[in-house]
Amino acid sequence: MSRHHPQPVDPAVIAHLRDLSHLLDSRWTIPGTGIRFGLDGVASIVPVVGDSLTGVVSAYIVWQARRMGVPTPTIARMLWNVGVDWAVGSIPVVGTVFDVAFKANRKNMALLNRHLDTFEDLAAERRRTGP
């Protein structure tokens, strides 16, 4: 059992994390293609440095997820996504294309949302059935 005590979930924090994820991974569209990209793809033009800076923001999203009580296996998966994004994204040219395609922050928000949906489902079930 985890010794981590989750903080209450603030909808404003969820909205902030969603906005960060959108900014990092899918803020703009390449005209005529429907391909979306964000600051992560733009920053990876400067190998290692750009990906390191966006990696810090990605780690912040994971940290907030941990504060919300996301289970350790899910946090590990989120960290894996950030690590892969940083490692491959740091490769010149190939990394920029990878960053546009991989979208680690969108994947991590999907994991967080899945946890929150499960949490809400469990809370509703507890209210319905009692202690």
Side-chain angles (χ1 to χ4, degrees), residues 103-117:
K103 302 189 185 325
N105 299 292
R106 302 282 297 200
K107 291 176 190 285
N108 286 346
M109 282 306 298
L111 290 168
L112 174 59
N113 286 331
R114 195 170 314 135
H115 165 75
L116 294 173
D117 288 346

Side-chain angles (χ1 to χ4, degrees), residues 63-125:
W63 176 72
Q64 285 289 356
R66 182 66 183 157
R67 290 188 65 216
M68 290 177 205
V70 172
T72 300
T74 304
I75 294 295
R77 177 61 191 263
M78 294 172 86
L79 289 171
W80 172 260
N81 289 339
V82 172
V84 167
D85 186 51
W86 177 84
V88 179
S90 293
I91 300 169
V93 182
V94 173
T96 301
V97 173
F98 177 81
D99 276 336
V100 169
F102 187 63
K103 302 189 185 325
N105 299 292
R106 302 282 297 200
K107 291 176 190 285
N108 286 346
M109 282 306 298
L111 290 168
L112 174 59
N113 286 331
R114 195 170 314 135
H115 165 75
L116 294 173
D117 288 346
T118 301
F119 179 77
E120 288 294 319
D121 291 345
L122 289 172
E125 181 65 19

Side-chain angles (χ1 to χ4, degrees), residues 3-15:
R3 293 180 183 207
H4 177 73
H5 300 288
Q7 300 296 314
V9 177
D10 181 354
V13 172
I14 299 298

Side-chain angles (χ1 to χ4, degrees), residues 12-28 36-42 54-62 64-65 68 78 81-82 85 99-113:
V13 172
I14 299 298
H16 174 67
L17 298 178
R18 185 178 51 246
D19 291 347
L20 277 176
S21 171
H22 178 74
L23 178 64
L24 288 168
D25 287 346
S26 54
R27 171 65 178 88
W28 300 285
R36 300 194 64 84
F37 67 99
L39 284 180
D40 196 24
V42 173
T54 57
V56 169
V57 179
S58 297
Y60 168 77
I61 292 171
V62 177
Q64 285 289 356
M68 290 177 205
M78 294 172 86
N81 289 339
V82 172
D85 186 51
D99 276 336
V100 169
F102 187 63
K103 302 189 185 325
N105 299 292
R106 302 282 297 200
K107 291 176 190 285
N108 286 346
M109 282 306 298
L111 290 168
L112 174 59
N113 286 331

